Amino acid sequence: MTRMPRRSVALAAAVAVLATACSAGGGAPKPKQIATGYTATPQQTGAPKDGGTITVALTPGLSPNYIYPYPPAAANGTVIGRGQMWRSLYRPSGEGDQVADAELSLAEPPAFSPDRKTVTIKMKDYKWSTGTPVTADDVVFSLALLKAALKESPANWSFYTPGQFPDGVSAEATAPDTLTLKLETAYNPSYLLSMLTLLYVMPSAEWNIAETGGEHLDFKDPKNAKAIYKYLTEQSAEQSTFATNPLWQVVNGPYKLKSFDPTTGSFSLVPNENYSGPGDSRLDQVDFKAFTSAAAVLNQFKAGTLTVGTLDSSYVTQIDELKAKGYSVYGAPAPARFDALTINFANTVDNFDKVIAQPYVRQALQRLIDQNGYIASRGIYNGAGSPNYSTAGSGSPYPPAFGDTPPYPYDPAAAEKLLTGNGWKVVPNGVTTCENPGTGAGQCGAGIEKGQKISFTLASANTPAYVGARDVAFSSAAKKLGIEVKIVTKALNYMYANYGNTFAPATKNEWAMQDFGPLYLAAGYPSSNTVFNADGSFNLGSYRNAEVDKLINESTFGADEKTLSAEVTRLAEDLPVLFFPTPHTLVVVKDTLSGPQSSFNALLSYLYSPEQWYFHS
């Protein structure tokens, strides 16, 4: 992934227009565009031909290693065929103003009672690969297993906040095609819908067993649900059997697994002949190929062996050459995406937790990030990016109150003044130290002693290339103010498994900040619930702010969606992370492949719909 608490590698769907994020504000010059002409999504064209195999490039460094649809937090983003073999109740949308893709969802839009505590959901006419209908009982089964997983550990679902969904939610199949949810606490309808886009629907008639060949169990009994969950996750650990285990062949999505390479993470899908959703499934096969570097992806595009994939922005100057080789290239910021340095407020090395707890320190560090400069730099974004200073990301209907004027724009002089005005002796290119300890005005702050320096470790993902480049630029800017930022490069899979205080507390002192690339919130309703609330399961850096918790509760449980803008604004002001500009997702597609324009727009958010694609002459 791309890393996502309510996101997934297949995170979101059709983007009707290619929006850009807010400008830098404060009179800053617009970043120079090094490459242009990549904002137009390919139009549907040509007479469809049956057959053919496409090869899709997976995100470098993120090889799938799990198959059960509900992975523990450590496996988030590395699930094979997510969205292709099993669909969630509602298909996520990549449009900035929509939560779900109504056309590609397994159910009609939910109907809420006046008090928002009863939700009625009508299932559409979808079928399992066995030919039997996808029923409301399958959704009840999926919810029961999700609850069983969370009883084992809150870390077993990356989108969980204790006391919230699915806690206090009872599900009943009041008819084969009708699901009724009873909620102890009312939710904002858009927020609940965003959670239902994460509820993958699993086959209750085939998976309700606790051992291979075992008897079918009543999954509504929590003891049985626990046993079923244990069995399924144990089977999911056996990577060598992914393609042969009969369990994983029962799917409701457009594809079934043909093969999986445990060594590389590459896999192949073939059509589910009983899939009854939109799309003609004209392709014979879809091969997803794993890569370890963006350079390797580029080389395969140049060789013509890839059909679909994304291009690292460091290679934006290669667009014209790729077009000459028969590819279309298009891009924009993905909806509900933001890039940031995640701060670890619990890291105690060099007293970092005390230093970073000071808002003025975070403000000073944010002012060292030259967003327009990063975008324009040939070594970082190469012109393919947009400034962004909030969790709402691009084109959100819930923008921050400050609009195009960010609270802490790039200004090293202002950063230095923040430090000197709060008791620090700034030594450019040397070692800046606390000179005036204490908690009064003009002093360094609680827990910071005289002589304290600002020094910390930044874990930087080894791919894509812009991640390392922007981290080096930030470190260099910090050094000019006497701040030491020690960069350590790590593989994405390693960071996903080991750098999150909610699920890997033993490694909290290995990283003070981390840059794993993008983080995605729910398109259409980018709430930070689970990410920045104190008890959120995806609160990687142990951020705490009572006011933010209150705002998140209001956007999660209140009826007024406008409170989400207040949440977005407060987070931008308090800086639980340091914001980077948003790189444009650059999608590369062979000219001989076509389909609905919306299905290619969806690739900006890594949502694949190959059942809608076809080759043409």
Side-chain angles (χ1 to χ4, degrees), residues 64-335:
N65 60 6
Y66 217 75
I67 195 169
Y68 178 68
Y70 295 113
N76 189 36
T78 56
V79 178
I80 185 173
R82 179 185 263 170
Q84 301 301 302
M85 297 189 291
W86 297 283
R87 284 279 163 91
S88 53
L89 184 60
Y90 291 99
R91 178 80 158 163
S93 172
E95 294 194 48
D97 61 351
Q98 296 183 24
V99 177
D101 185 325
E103 183 182 13
L104 297 180
S105 294
L106 298 179
E108 301 293 344
F112 289 79
S113 63
D115 64 358
R116 293 181 284 120
K117 289 189 175 182
T118 300
V119 185
T120 305
I121 296 171
K122 188 83 168 177
M123 304 296 293
K124 292 183 183 178
D125 186 23
Y126 275 78
K127 290 183 172 59
W128 291 103
S129 52
T130 58
T132 59
V134 177
T135 68
D137 224 30
D138 293 320
V139 185
V140 176
F141 172 70
S142 303
L143 195 61
L145 263 62
L146 179 57
K147 289 184 175 182
L150 293 172
K151 274 196 172 182
E152 293 295 300
S153 169
N156 278 336
W157 197 43
S158 296
F159 319 106
Y160 176 63
T161 296
Q164 297 185 19
F165 185 94
D167 293 349
V169 178
S170 65
E172 180 183 1
T174 48
D177 65 348
T178 305
L179 174 72
T180 300
L181 300 179
K182 296 288 187 179
L183 314 178
E184 290 181 4
T185 304
Y187 284 88
N188 179 283
S190 291
Y191 179 78
L192 182 64
L193 182 58
S194 75
M195 298 307 292
L196 295 176
T197 65
L198 304 169
L199 187 63
Y200 285 85
V201 180
M202 303 181 294
S204 59
E206 288 80 14
W207 285 13
N208 60 345
I209 55 177
E211 60 182 354
T212 302
E215 63 176 321
H216 294 274
L217 304 174
D218 177 10
F219 57 81
K220 296 174 186 176
D221 182 337
K223 183 176 68 174
N224 289 338
K226 176 181 178 180
I228 295 168
Y229 170 75
K230 182 175 183 292
Y231 169 69
L232 292 174
T233 52
E234 286 174 349
Q235 294 295 299
S236 186
E238 300 294 332
Q239 296 184 31
S240 63
T241 67
F242 280 179
T244 57
N245 191 327
L247 285 170
W248 315 132
Q249 292 297 311
V250 184
V251 299
N252 59 22
Y255 288 94
K256 300 172 70 173
L257 183 63
K258 177 184 178 181
S259 63
F260 176 75
D261 184 345
T263 303
T264 65
S266 298
F267 60 96
S268 296
L269 303 176
V270 292
N272 165 18
E273 295 180 359
N274 282 315
Y275 177 68
S276 49
D280 295 327
S281 296
R282 293 180 180 272
L283 300 172
D284 292 328
Q285 185 166 308
V286 181
D287 294 338
F288 285 84
K289 187 174 182 179
F291 288 89
T292 57
S293 72
V297 175
L298 175 65
N299 289 337
Q300 291 296 301
F301 275 128
K302 288 184 174 181
T305 59
L306 293 177
T307 318
V308 177
T310 56
L311 181 71
D312 191 288
S313 64
S314 61
Y315 300 121
V316 70
T317 54
Q318 304 286 320
I319 287 178
D320 289 343
E321 182 178 348
L322 291 175
K323 287 182 176 180
K325 289 182 176 292
Y327 289 97
S328 295
V329 183
Y330 60 99

Side-chain angles (χ1 to χ4, degrees), residues 23-31 369-373 387 389 404-406 409-411:
S23 66
K30 299 270 184 166
I369 296 176
D370 182 4
Q371 292 215 19
N372 282 330
Y389 294 88
D404 289 350
T405 305
Y410 174 63
D411 190 339

Side-chain angles (χ1 to χ4, degrees), residues 12-15 41-42 44 91 101 104 308 330 587 589 594-614:
V15 180
T41 311
Q44 185 167 359
R91 178 80 158 163
D101 185 325
L104 297 180
V308 177
Y330 60 99
V587 181
V589 181
S594 192
Q597 189 176 31
S598 61
S599 70
F600 288 104
N601 279 333
L603 292 175
L604 294 170
S605 298
Y606 298 92
L607 258 182
Y608 300 96
S609 299
E611 73 277 8
Q612 298 184 328
W613 300 342
Y614 57 83

